[in-house]
Amino acid sequence: MPDLKQIPDMKQMRLLGIVSATAIGLYVCYLLALPFLPALTWALVLAIILYPAHRRVEERLRNRNLAALISVSVAAIAVGLPLIFVAQQLVREAVNGATYLEEVIRGWNADGFMSNYPRLSAVAQWIENQVDPAGTVAALVQWLTGQSASLLRGSINQAVMFVLTFYLLFYFLRDREPALQGIEGLSPLRAPETAYILSRLAETVHAILIGTVFVAAVQGTLGGLMFWWLGLPTPVFWGLVMGLLAIVPVLGAFVIWVPAAIYLALEGAWASAAILTIWGGVIVAGIDNLLYPMLVGSRLRLHTVVAFIGAVGGIVLFGASGLVLGPAVIAVTISLIDILKKRLNDQPEAEPASKRDTKPSRQSGAAPSRE
């Protein structure tokens, strides 16, 4: 006959085994999903951004499959065609820019530069002795020309991820309600708390996408227009580069327009250099401080330093998708801490044992002992 004292221990051991197996399974599931993290991230981001418009389409068609197919098709065209155009333009402008730079370097009068700027003559002489700028740029032109076809086609991995993103987007849009119900059923939080976490996640995605990407696009457009107005080469290419750099924390459009202003000053175009400096320093840089609070405002609800750490750390850990994942993880974690604090504050404080012992018993009605 088994010892009755061992039964609770067996139940605890079985429970511990189930918890351990669940933890191992979750870790293996994480490893399985890790290669698809970029596709999952951007599919979720697109689902959050597109859902208001998709809901209208679904209400008119009354067919969830057809509505999801139409929404995904429109999104694929709206995202895919600009990407193809940007890739083609980037390759073309990169080759043109490198060719122009090669011509400028080969036609550069080093002796005249040294006579006009005697303090920089030693530096210019050292650069000319150590490296061959014209030869380096010429090699870059040849490499860009030779690699343009492969750059346009893109890698197989990127193509697969692009298709997989919209494949997942279809199910995220079609099965949104069952998925949310499943998350609420698996969540250890209460239903209002789970809804709060999900809404906080959606607000963070909206704030990051609308704020960061839109402001970066405006900065790149303004920078490219100024390059075109001043007659600088390949303004479309440099505008795109400035827009991309404006998305990355720490970097920005100044990485491009500051060297361009220095180049104009060295060429003797002081008025153009001053205009570019004022435009870049006041208009392009100031548009971030003007538009970002208007578009994001209190929706992100993260301090600048915390948002910066989330974006940079996310990019380091997850790549490009970390731009969204990093701040989103921080926002959700802060929301969980708020929920935990609220629960702890709502709990009644435990009464001291000394006070409990001195209370009269309701069952016996006896008075407390004074001994």
Side-chain angles (χ1 to χ4, degrees), residues 190 192-193 335-347:
R190 300 164 185 165
E193 294 171 344
S335 301
L336 290 172
I337 293 174
D338 292 339
I339 292 174
L340 179 60
K341 289 170 61 178
K342 185 176 180 180
R343 284 197 180 187
L344 294 176
N345 292 332
D346 290 343
Q347 288 182 355

Side-chain angles (χ1 to χ4, degrees), residues 120-189:
L120 299 178
S121 60
V123 177
Q125 186 64 39
W126 181 86
I127 293 176
E128 187 176 356
N129 293 334
Q130 295 296 324
V131 297
D132 181 14
T136 302
V137 175
L140 177 62
V141 172
Q142 293 178 358
W143 181 84
L144 288 174
T145 304
Q147 296 295 323
S148 59
S150 61
L151 289 174
L152 289 175
R153 287 194 303 268
S155 64
I156 297 177
N157 182 47
Q158 296 299 325
V160 170
M161 284 297 171
F162 183 83
V163 174
L164 183 59
T165 297
F166 290 96
Y167 172 79
L168 295 172
L169 177 61
F170 173 84
Y171 292 102
F172 285 173
L173 291 176
R174 192 194 70 174
D175 302 329
R176 178 179 182 273
E177 297 299 331
L180 291 177
Q181 293 175 1
I183 292 174
E184 292 179 356
L186 295 174
S187 174
L189 302 174

Side-chain angles (χ1 to χ4, degrees), residues 48-59:
I48 293 174
I49 298 297
L50 295 175
Y51 178 71
H54 169 71
R55 184 174 56 185
R56 298 189 187 96
V57 175
E58 194 175 48
E59 290 175 353

